[in-house]
Amino acid sequence: MESQIFELQYALDTFYFLICGALVMWMAAGFTMLEAGLVRSKNTVEILTKNVALFATASIMYMICGYAIMYGGDLFLSGIAGGDTLVEDALAASAENGFGGDSVYSAASDFFFQVVFVATCMSIVSGAVAERMKLWAFLLFAVVMTGVIYPLEGSWTWGGNDVFGLFNLGDMGFSDFAGSGIVHMAGAAAALAGVLLLGSRKGKYGPNGEIRAIPGANLPLAALGTLILWMGWFGFNGGSVLKLGDIASANSVAMVFLNTNAAAAGGAVGALIIARIIFGKADLTMLLNGALAGLVAITAEPSTPSALQATLFGVAAGVIVVLSILALDKIKIDDPVGAISVHGVVGLFGLLIVPITNPASTFIGQIVGAATIFAWVFVASLIVWVIIKAVIGIRISEEDEYEGADIAECGMEAYPEFIR
């Protein structure tokens, strides 16, 4: 009887992992639609190509070496699917630790859930470098980012390994439930390194320091992308509970879903109100980024706040992201979709608020963890970007940028029936 119950728990937790992984995979569609909506029509096909290709690249590289670096698995995942003995081993472990105390699921489902996270991290880079980066330079960076840079910092955090053998972040009280820093801030750090080398889009900033808005071509698409991301985030945060097959875990999952939604709502409202105060109008793009900011902020700890606390965290994140987008524009860091602000600045905010509701974490641990993640990803990414720039270049020509990356990089247009 005990074995049958355990097998049912195994099946349930494995199924939950797979469904949550599928939701996170669907976030790739959200990022694609959001970015395609916020760029000019002449760059749409390149954005679509880049996002689909980066997901495929991340899947392959994480299989080849990323998972092994992060969690010590086998290269090429040989035999990772496991078999019936996994349940037998879990039963033996439960006899020592108490029945039902450990997460029990297929190792293949764990890999699937992890690989969609690394693709999410890389998607953040895509939006920040949009409209002026060479497609193949971006994909070459994706190989290194998803195969080495992200997995190594993941091994120091979720993997539990010492940072270059020097210190352990977990021992210092660092906690990042679903990846405000590990995934989102890391993606923003890689993006920032690329943007600093890449420079701004032509015409974005005037000779006297004026900031010129470059509106996106399809705001309905951007809104759809945001809502897809909002939905996918339930898998992102909810799946990070890692199991569902007991009462405590089920309650935790429900609270994570509730808080994830509450923070997104708070972020949307916070951004909408601050944008109205600053601009005198309801700015849709700020509203969308506010919702995403709320989601990023709560990702570091969605299980311990109350719903009201999660909402207030979201409101703060929504205000922060609007101010951050404006501040980065003032120092001429051109980010077409606001990715560095949403995922980087707010990702840091999300890490810093964890100790407010989770006493197992410490502010010192959160600061050290954030600094470690940012320093490693930024420096390593900068080195890779410099090498790629020296070898093949990272920016399309001025003529190609004027004509659009669609024709230059992909040889086709997204809207060929319209004349620019």
Side-chain angles (χ1 to χ4, degrees), residues 254-402:
M255 199 65 203
V256 167
F257 270 60
L258 172 61
N259 284 342
T260 297
N261 188 67
V269 171
L272 186 64
I273 292 174
I274 193 68
R276 175 65 176 80
I277 293 171
I278 295 174
F279 308 126
K281 302 289 183 181
D283 189 305
L284 173 63
T285 60
M286 293 301 182
L287 169 68
L288 300 180
N289 276 327
L292 296 177
L295 290 163
V296 170
I298 201 63
T299 294
E301 185 46 84
S303 63
T304 56
S306 68
L308 178 59
Q309 286 175 318
T311 304
L312 294 176
F313 291 157
V315 171
V319 172
I320 289 169
V321 78
V322 172
L323 299 178
S324 175
I325 289 171
L326 296 176
L328 290 183
D329 247 351
K330 286 186 180 296
I331 59 175
K332 298 186 178 181
I333 293 179
D334 185 14
D335 180 357
V337 304
I340 296 171
S341 295
V342 170
H343 302 277
V345 175
V346 178
L348 174 61
F349 170 72
L351 288 178
L352 295 179
I353 60 177
V354 170
I356 295 175
T357 61
N358 182 358
S361 64
T362 67
F363 284 108
I364 294 297
Q366 296 303 96
I367 292 170
V368 172
T372 300
I373 292 169
F374 180 84
W376 160 250
V377 177
F378 180 81
V379 172
S381 297
L382 189 63
I383 292 170
V384 175
W385 285 125
V386 167
I387 293 172
I388 295 173
K389 183 177 181 179
V391 176
I392 64 172
I394 59 175
R395 182 163 185 149
I396 59 178
S397 69
E398 188 171 342
E399 180 181 352
D400 287 341
E401 186 176 349
Y402 177 78

Side-chain angles (χ1 to χ4, degrees), residues 37-411:
L38 292 179
V39 300
R40 290 165 288 185
S41 59
K42 62 184 179 180
N43 297 303
T44 305
V45 172
E46 197 263 353
I47 290 292
L48 302 178
T49 304
K50 190 166 58 172
N51 275 273
V52 176
L54 79 83
F55 187 87
T57 301
S59 297
I60 294 170
M61 290 307 301
Y62 201 65
M63 177 191 68
I64 291 174
C65 60
Y67 190 79
I69 292 171
M70 195 160 169
Y71 294 109
D74 294 332
L75 292 179
F76 300 105
L77 303 182
S78 56
I80 197 170
D84 294 341
T85 56
L86 286 174
V87 175
E88 296 172 7
D89 292 342
L91 275 169
S94 72
E96 298 178 7
N97 302 319
F99 179 72
D102 297 323
S103 299
V104 187
Y105 42 76
S106 164
S109 70
D110 177 62
F111 170 79
F112 177 68
F113 186 69
Q114 296 295 334
V115 75
V116 291
F117 273 59
V118 68
T120 298
C121 182
M122 192 62 213
S123 294
I124 296 165
V125 184
S126 175
V129 301
E131 299 203 281
R132 71 267 200 215
M133 175 167 277
K134 290 182 177 179
L135 173 64
W136 290 101
F138 174 83
L139 294 179
L140 187 57
F141 176 78
V143 169
V144 183
M145 179 68 182
T146 60
V148 179
I149 298 175
Y150 169 86
L152 191 55
E153 63 97 1
S155 74
W156 301 331
T157 48
W158 289 331
N161 296 324
D162 292 346
V163 179
F164 292 122
L166 300 175
F167 57 92
N168 188 284
L169 292 175
D171 293 341
M172 299 182 71
F174 176 76
S175 176
D176 190 358
F177 187 91
S180 288
I182 297 167
V183 178
H184 295 280
M185 193 178 69
L192 179 61
V195 167
L196 291 177
L197 282 178
L198 194 61
S200 61
R201 291 167 291 175
K202 295 297 181 182
K204 173 63 178 176
Y205 304 111
N208 298 318
E210 60 268 30
I211 302 168
R212 298 167 180 161
I214 302 178
N218 196 328
L219 293 184
L221 206 60
L224 174 62
T226 300
L227 290 170
I228 290 173
L229 287 167
W230 192 327
M231 176 180 140
W233 230 287
F234 295 123
F236 200 96
N237 288 353
S240 295
V241 176
L242 304 181
K243 62 183 300 186
L244 184 65
D246 59 74
I247 292 175
S249 296
N251 285 335
S252 180
V253 166
M255 199 65 203
V256 167
F257 270 60
L258 172 61
N259 284 342
T260 297
N261 188 67
V269 171
L272 186 64
I273 292 174
I274 193 68
R276 175 65 176 80
I277 293 171
I278 295 174
F279 308 126
K281 302 289 183 181
D283 189 305
L284 173 63
T285 60
M286 293 301 182
L287 169 68
L288 300 180
N289 276 327
L292 296 177
L295 290 163
V296 170
I298 201 63
T299 294
E301 185 46 84
S303 63
T304 56
S306 68
L308 178 59
Q309 286 175 318
T311 304
L312 294 176
F313 291 157
V315 171
V319 172
I320 289 169
V321 78
V322 172
L323 299 178
S324 175
I325 289 171
L326 296 176
L328 290 183
D329 247 351
K330 286 186 180 296
I331 59 175
K332 298 186 178 181
I333 293 179
D334 185 14
D335 180 357
V337 304
I340 296 171
S341 295
V342 170
H343 302 277
V345 175
V346 178
L348 174 61
F349 170 72
L351 288 178
L352 295 179
I353 60 177
V354 170
I356 295 175
T357 61
N358 182 358
S361 64
T362 67
F363 284 108
I364 294 297
Q366 296 303 96
I367 292 170
V368 172
T372 300
I373 292 169
F374 180 84
W376 160 250
V377 177
F378 180 81
V379 172
S381 297
L382 189 63
I383 292 170
V384 175
W385 285 125
V386 167
I387 293 172
I388 295 173
K389 183 177 181 179
V391 176
I392 64 172
I394 59 175
R395 182 163 185 149
I396 59 178
S397 69
E398 188 171 342
E399 180 181 352
D400 287 341
E401 186 176 349
Y402 177 78
E403 290 295 325
D406 287 0
I407 296 298
E409 296 287 280
C410 303

